[in-house]
Amino acid sequence: SALLAIASGAQAETPRIAEKNGRHALMVDGAPYLILGAQINNSSAWPDALPRVWPAMDALGVNTVEIPVGWEQIEPQEGRFDFTVVDTLLEQARARKLRLVLLWFATWKNTNPQYAPRWVKLDNHRFPRMVRPDGTLHYALSPFGTETLKADGKAFATLLRHLREADPRNTVIMVQVQNEPGSYGLPRDHSPAADAAFAAPVPAALQKRMKKPAGSWTALFGRDADLYFHAWHVARYIDTVAAAGKAEKPLPMYANAALPGDPFTWQDAKTYASGGPANTVIDVYKAAAPHLDIVAPDIYNPAHKAYVGFLDAYDRPDNALFVPETGHAKEYARYFFEAVGRGAIGWSPFGIDYTRYLPVFPATPKLEGEPLVPFAANYTLFKPFARLWAKLAFEGETWGAAEPEDPADEHRRVLKLGRYVAQVSFGRSDFGDGPPKGNAYPSGGVAIARIGPDEYLVTGYFARVEFALADPSLGNIIIDRVEEGSYDAKENWKFSRVWNGDQVDWGLNFTGASQILKVKLATYPKR
Ligand code: N0T
């Protein structure tokens, strides 16, 4: 068994992404795993900074930390690798029983090569930058740099070989390849090699996936030709790097996207990170990068419609939903429920540590103490049954809702559970039928999982949940039983009490307390 293998010190089963009927699981130690994550700031992955990282992780109650590994850290001189920093991360994470997702900052980090070693980023002859139509150089490295690809792939493969040797029990459960790749301001490379490729027909794999006839980039993709072309070549590049790493250790791998403003409005590729796995080009990545398990959105738009739209775009039968970065302003905390409700394998606010550095966007006044509370509350709630939730999300059905802030939504969400609907409303008192007014700031969230026929696990914060029959002509709904309870260390249900009377007559009202309910529904006939 996996346990025996671990006890005997043998190589544990390598984590992987499993898919069944279009649902997904991140398998860790042989079972579905839910990443309750946080990403540290970009310059915090140094041994001297780590004492300011771990206390923030404790405060948040994460089970997984996303930490960058810069190419410059491990290969400061060409061919001379140094894994001291990686080993420190492994050792300190293990001591705290935390898992890691490592982020490979290399050719592209927010599109730029700042994390490439100086022998790379200062040698434009060997490692060329993109070229503008007028012949001047753009800041981003070109995906047509064959030497760049070789060097990045070799460094990444060496990192994964090191993990194979130094991490047999898989403290590292997943790896991000590059960070928000692509280029700002210039939708594609115009070097001679790039222009020649742009003049050639669209590769058959992409043309077929897009269900288009053979043709040129311009003929097939019109105003988005540069975007599709650049996405294809950046994705092919990242795929080659990922493949080199997987050959050493086949960990799950993903690429993350800097997104356009919202998922509904067309934007010129000049105005966002062209070439990265944005919602506009997920199909391009699926065709170009078979060694990437996932493409993932970094969501920094706090508007409910946009946030949910981005989740819907990446939640696909061929793509496990994973949110590797999201804002840490308090309004973002509720979206944990939308993500895990859709069966996300994980969710992670960005910029969590006590280095006191805070990105201007999104802004919080100060990260210690109070601002972390809503995020910590999510993990307090889910940590005791995170494995069970991941299993239910993989094998069953789950739903989630976060509070909308647009008054047009009347502070309500409806979740369609099949035979039943869950009517979720926000900002009501515990007693009575007063209309939902919304919470003081949008902070409500609900997650529901089917655990049996007519039976649901229901949890959340600052929300009322009322069940109804999807088809009211089928009868009258009645609550059979509502149990409040908790999960013990082995994720066994511990009954605490039955909710009845005032606690169910006005819906199930979740406050700021961590409460988990098992709700059994029933019907009686109309006559
Ligand atoms: C993210 C983070 C980090 C005017 C920003 C988000 C992280 C990277 N980029 O703090 O740099 O490494 O992946 C870009 C969001 C741009 C929003 C611009 C609004």
Side-chain angles (χ1 to χ4, degrees):
S1 77
L3 264 182
L4 278 177
I6 290 166
S8 69
Q11 191 97 27
E13 182 185 321
T14 305
R16 66 188 169 88
I17 301 288
E19 186 272 338
K20 196 164 61 184
N21 303 322
R23 313 229 1 136
H24 301 95
L26 169 59
M27 304 294 287
V28 175
D29 301 330
Y33 182 88
L34 176 63
I35 293 178
L36 305 173
Q39 184 169 150
I40 68 172
N41 281 301
N42 292 164
S43 311
S44 300
W46 292 94
D48 274 3
L50 291 176
R52 286 167 285 173
V53 165
W54 305 123
M57 299 306 143
D58 286 347
L60 214 60
V62 304
N63 61 16
T64 307
V65 192
E66 297 175 8
I67 300 192
V69 174
W71 185 358
E72 66 179 356
Q73 273 176 322
I74 67 162
E75 197 185 9
Q77 289 167 290
E78 186 168 9
R80 296 187 51 184
F81 288 90
D82 179 352
F83 290 106
T84 321
V85 171
V86 174
D87 290 340
T88 304
L89 295 175
L90 292 175
E91 192 185 305
Q92 296 193 10
R94 282 174 195 147
R96 290 161 180 82
K97 296 193 165 36
L98 293 169
R99 305 312 266 257
L100 298 176
V101 172
L102 294 184
L103 318 172
W104 177 236
F105 287 10
T107 298
W108 295 288
K109 185 328 180 157
N110 298 19
T111 76
N112 74 64
Q114 196 60 30
Y115 281 81
R118 55 202 310 279
W119 57 270
V120 173
K121 68 187 176 191
L122 304 183
D123 183 352
N124 199 68
H125 180 70
R126 191 173 158 207
F127 307 108
R129 286 176 166 73
M130 285 174 36
V131 180
R132 297 195 187 87
D134 69 0
T136 60
L137 297 187
H138 182 261
Y139 68 85
L141 293 175
S142 168
F144 290 90
T146 48
E147 279 288 298
T148 329
L149 174 54
K150 222 162 66 185
D152 186 325
K154 183 182 162 206
F156 187 66
T158 308
L159 170 63
L160 270 287
R161 186 185 320 150
H162 184 73
L163 291 181
R164 189 183 71 210
E165 287 158 4
D167 190 29
R169 296 183 198 180
N170 308 309
T171 293
V172 176
I173 56 175
M174 187 154 69
V175 182
Q176 178 185 293
V177 193
Q178 314 297 338
N179 187 83
E180 296 189 347
S183 53
Y184 286 109
L186 183 66
R188 72 167 174 92
D189 188 11
H190 294 265
S191 66
D195 278 347
F198 191 73
V202 169
L206 179 59
Q207 170 240 314
K208 287 194 180 116
R209 171 171 278 261
M210 303 308 292
K211 299 192 168 57
K212 300 226 183 217
S216 72
W217 291 92
T218 315
L220 266 50
F221 303 118
R223 66 181 179 179
D224 292 323
D226 286 353
L227 176 80
Y228 274 69
F229 174 82
H230 197 38
W232 173 266
H233 287 285
V234 172
R236 290 295 305 141
Y237 184 110
I238 295 176
D239 190 65
T240 306
V241 174
K246 283 205 165 185
E248 298 295 341
K249 181 167 185 179
L251 284 170
M253 293 188 188
Y254 71 97
N256 65 326
L259 299 168
D262 70 60
F264 312 114
T265 318
W266 180 83
Q267 267 181 242
D268 191 311
K270 271 202 222 62
T271 65
Y272 64 106
S274 178
N279 55 299
T280 44
V281 290
I282 294 174
D283 284 313
V284 180
Y285 266 73
K286 289 297 169 187
H291 295 91
L292 287 180
D293 299 270
I294 302 174
V295 291
D298 294 350
I299 314 184
Y300 289 98
N301 184 338
H304 187 269
K305 283 190 184 63
Y307 204 107
V308 162
F310 281 127
L311 292 180
D312 288 341
Y314 285 85
D315 176 18
R316 318 175 0 151
D318 64 353
N319 195 61
L321 182 60
F322 176 51
V323 182
E325 290 183 33
T326 197
H328 60 229
K330 62 183 189 299
E331 292 78 12
Y332 287 94
R334 71 202 206 266
Y335 291 121
F336 172 75
F337 292 95
E338 292 276 358
V340 299
R342 282 170 174 72
I345 62 162
W347 185 85
S348 171
F350 174 81
I352 308 290
D353 60 45
Y354 292 158
T355 58
R356 307 306 301 235
Y357 171 79
L358 287 177
V360 176
F361 178 90
T364 52
K366 161 171 175 303
L367 209 48
E368 288 177 49
E370 205 195 326
L372 285 181
V373 166
F375 295 91
N378 291 341
Y379 296 170
T380 301
L381 189 60
F382 268 72
K383 213 176 189 178
F385 67 108
R387 288 280 193 171
L388 172 66
W389 182 271
K391 187 169 183 280
L392 291 167
F394 181 44
E395 291 171 1
E397 288 176 281
T398 54
W399 299 266
E403 178 172 357
E405 73 287 339
D406 183 346
D409 292 313
E410 296 176 337
H411 316 292
R412 291 177 184 276
R413 295 290 311 284
V414 175
L415 297 174
K416 295 182 176 156
L417 314 181
R419 180 173 165 77
Y420 302 100
V421 295
Q423 294 161 343
V424 186
S425 50
F426 303 95
R428 312 178 88 162
S429 62
D430 292 351
F431 188 94
D433 249 348
K437 296 197 174 89
N439 289 300
Y441 75 91
S443 54
V446 161
I448 300 178
R450 188 198 301 288
I451 51 174
D454 306 311
E455 193 170 10
Y456 297 90
L457 193 153
V458 186
T459 191
Y461 286 122
F462 304 114
R464 176 182 291 191
V465 181
E466 292 162 292
F467 290 94
L469 276 164
D471 178 356
S473 74
L474 292 181
N476 297 302
I477 190 166
I478 182 174
I479 284 179
D480 178 347
R481 183 178 167 91
V482 176
E483 278 188 16
E484 182 183 342
S486 58
Y487 286 96
D488 68 13
K490 291 183 169 160
E491 299 199 344
N492 290 314
W493 178 248
K494 289 282 167 239
F495 167 83
S496 167
R497 60 173 180 155
V498 167
W499 280 21
N500 212 336
D502 288 347
Q503 279 63 58
V504 302
D505 289 345
W506 308 101
L508 308 173
N509 290 282
F510 291 95
T511 62
S514 298
Q515 290 171 322
I516 308 172
L517 305 179
K518 283 189 172 181
V519 178
K520 191 126 172 58
L521 302 171
T523 53
Y524 61 90
K526 291 264 188 197
R527 55 174 66 241

